[in-house]
Amino acid sequence: MSLAANVQPAAKPTLYRILFAIGLVHLFNDSIQSVITAIYPILKDSMSLSYGQLGWIGFGLSFTASLMQPVVGMYTDARPSPYLLPLGMGSTFIGMLLLGFAPSYPLVLLAVVFVGIGSAVFHPEGSRVSYMAAGSRRGLAQSIFQVGGNAGQALAPILAVFVFYPLGQHGAFLFMIVAAAAIFVQLQIAKWYGEQLRVNPRAKGAARPRTSGTGTKLAVAVTLLVFLVFARSWYHACISNFYLFYLHEHWGLSEQNAQLFIFSFLAAGAAGTFFGGPLADRFGRRNILFLSMLGAAPFALVLPYAPPVIAFVLLLVMGFILLSSFSVAVVYAQELIPGKIGTVSGLITGLAFGLGAIGSVFIGNLIDWTSLPFVMKACSFLPLIGLMTFFLPSDKKLKEWSGE
């Protein structure tokens, strides 16, 4: 046997410079997006909005992103477009400009639609950049990308306290600077992305054939994964959008102090997102998905009855556990349907946004129809849907299906 026959192709290196850059832009993008929900109390008071109307703001923001993400992903799977990244952030820039001076509820809705469009363009292409720069460490790469977004979400309550409470809606103008910084970074990433396509025209990934007889099993697996995203997204929407009102009305905390509780949940979630990917690389995607959902369930069930001191600790622990599967679900889906990086990433993150949007509207209206304590207790059962993870195919089975 010749020496050449024993030479294995060198593993592609993990490009941390690119991963941290796209993670930074994700932080910018999601901090802008998340301050909109963080300023619900300001909008509610200044425009005399109901909980249902607040839910429609969340719907306008998130559902726009969810509808467009798979479309953008399918388009860029066929025609990778590096400069869509800065163009999408341009839409976010316009949205924050509109939000800064919007005098009425309809204009607020229009502003958040522009922000949603920017998010829809960013996420599939950002996830593709992460995949291209991952080398052999896909879980870690997706975690670095996603932790930027979750960190941005975690910062939103703090930014609301220090920017929007003093400045009101006009604080949105400051986030135009953040959007401009994101555009600058994305222009640099787009240059690298374009160079990768020139060097390796197949960098976008080619679909690999599945073994025969897996069509039905694949459809079942995708459906189960959607249910898991559904449960996590609705519960996340319940806590991040409405739990601060529960703390204010049920436990008497000020809205500013209640924002710190939401920050603890989201910040712990960002940490969980970061560690979830490497843990999935080591222990398996499905195992982390299972532990993430079911492990959060006991804390979720106790939270509505916990006084503020205990609730703060519960939010920290639960946020870390629950969102440890955020990046893992994307990587699992990419391996479930290989070669369609943009479409799959757009579908899963789009589902997270879209189902969160529907959840935001439904939960907001349900609070108006019933009561805030009732809805908090009802939502606490959602993580139990994580039991369905048991029926997902194992990582080994995914490799068998793809012939690896």
Side-chain angles (χ1 to χ4, degrees):
M1 183 179 293
S2 68
L3 179 64
N6 290 323
V7 175
Q8 298 296 323
K12 291 183 178 180
T14 302
L15 303 178
Y16 291 100
R17 173 178 60 88
I18 299 300
L19 291 175
F20 285 122
I22 198 66
L24 177 64
V25 175
H26 203 177
L27 185 151
F28 289 157
N29 181 87
D30 282 27
S31 64
I32 293 172
Q33 181 175 313
S34 298
V35 294
I36 293 173
T37 55
I39 63 170
Y40 275 3
I42 295 171
L43 296 174
K44 186 175 186 293
D45 292 340
S46 65
M47 296 185 178
S48 300
L49 303 180
S50 68
Y51 286 111
Q53 286 175 309
L54 293 178
W56 279 109
I57 292 174
F59 180 87
L61 174 67
S62 302
F63 200 64
T64 303
S66 69
L67 281 177
M68 290 189 62
Q69 276 196 46
V71 176
V72 172
M74 285 187 287
Y75 175 81
T76 56
D77 276 337
R79 299 179 180 85
S81 306
Y83 287 93
L84 270 181
L85 285 166
L87 285 175
M89 189 57 67
S91 177
T92 299
F93 183 95
I94 294 171
M96 296 313 287
L97 174 64
L98 288 174
L99 182 63
F101 70 80
S104 64
Y105 180 64
L107 275 179
V108 170
L109 291 176
L110 179 62
V112 301
V113 165
F114 272 98
V115 175
I117 290 171
S119 183
V121 172
F122 169 74
H123 281 92
E125 282 299 86
S127 191
R128 186 192 307 280
V129 168
S130 171
Y131 185 91
M132 291 168 64
S136 61
R137 307 196 68 183
R138 294 178 187 172
L140 174 63
Q142 193 63 220
S143 283
I144 292 173
F145 172 63
Q146 296 293 354
V147 78
N150 285 356
Q153 294 174 26
L155 286 174
I158 301 299
L159 294 171
V161 170
F162 290 103
V163 176
F164 283 96
Y165 279 99
L167 300 178
Q169 277 181 247
H170 296 312
F173 293 134
L174 294 178
F175 287 89
M176 294 168 61
I177 300 173
V178 177
I183 290 171
F184 175 78
V185 176
Q186 285 177 314
L187 285 171
Q188 313 312 308
I189 295 171
K191 291 178 183 177
W192 173 84
Y193 183 175
E195 182 61 28
Q196 295 304 301
L197 294 178
R198 285 190 290 274
V199 172
N200 179 16
R202 301 294 292 175
K204 64 182 178 180
R208 298 193 298 271
R210 284 292 187 189
T211 56
S212 61
T214 61
T216 301
K217 296 177 182 178
L218 183 63
V220 171
V222 171
T223 302
L224 288 175
L225 190 61
V226 168
F227 268 104
L228 294 174
V229 173
F230 154 80
R232 188 188 65 209
S233 298
W234 274 48
Y235 189 71
H236 191 274
C238 179
I239 298 299
S240 59
N241 292 351
F242 299 106
Y243 186 65
L244 69 88
F245 294 108
Y246 184 75
L247 288 168
H248 176 62
E249 296 179 14
H250 188 71
W251 295 107
L253 269 67
S254 68
E255 290 176 350
Q256 288 90 335
N257 287 336
Q259 292 279 11
L260 297 177
F261 282 70
I262 307 305
F263 169 75
S264 73
F265 173 73
L266 297 175
T273 297
F274 178 78
F275 286 103
L279 287 172
D281 284 338
R282 182 177 177 85
F283 299 108
R285 322 283 188 221
R286 191 185 72 166
N287 291 337
I288 299 302
L289 285 169
F290 184 82
L291 291 173
S292 168
M293 293 295 298
L294 207 61
F299 303 100
L301 291 168
V302 173
L303 184 65
Y305 308 95
V309 173
I310 296 176
F312 190 87
V313 177
L314 290 175
L315 288 168
L316 282 171
V317 177
M318 186 173 61
F320 183 92
I321 296 174
L322 185 69
L323 291 188
S324 64
S325 65
F326 196 91
S327 62
V328 178
V330 177
V331 177
Y332 185 90
Q334 289 173 348
E335 295 179 353
L336 193 62
I337 311 175
K340 297 292 184 181
I341 304 304
T343 303
V344 171
S345 301
L347 178 64
I348 296 301
T349 56
L351 275 173
F353 281 121
L355 293 174
I358 295 170
S360 183
V361 173
F362 180 82
I363 291 168
N365 281 287
L366 189 61
I367 292 171
D368 287 337
W369 297 333
T370 57
S371 69
L372 191 54
F374 172 81
V375 171
M376 288 294 122
K377 293 170 185 176
C379 287
S380 69
F381 289 92
L382 285 170
L384 289 174
I385 293 177
L387 285 168
M388 298 182 69
T389 315
F390 181 78
F391 299 102
L392 284 174
S394 66
D395 297 50
K396 181 179 179 181
K397 182 63 67 175
L398 292 186
K399 290 181 179 180
E400 290 177 3
W401 287 356
S402 60
E404 292 185 359

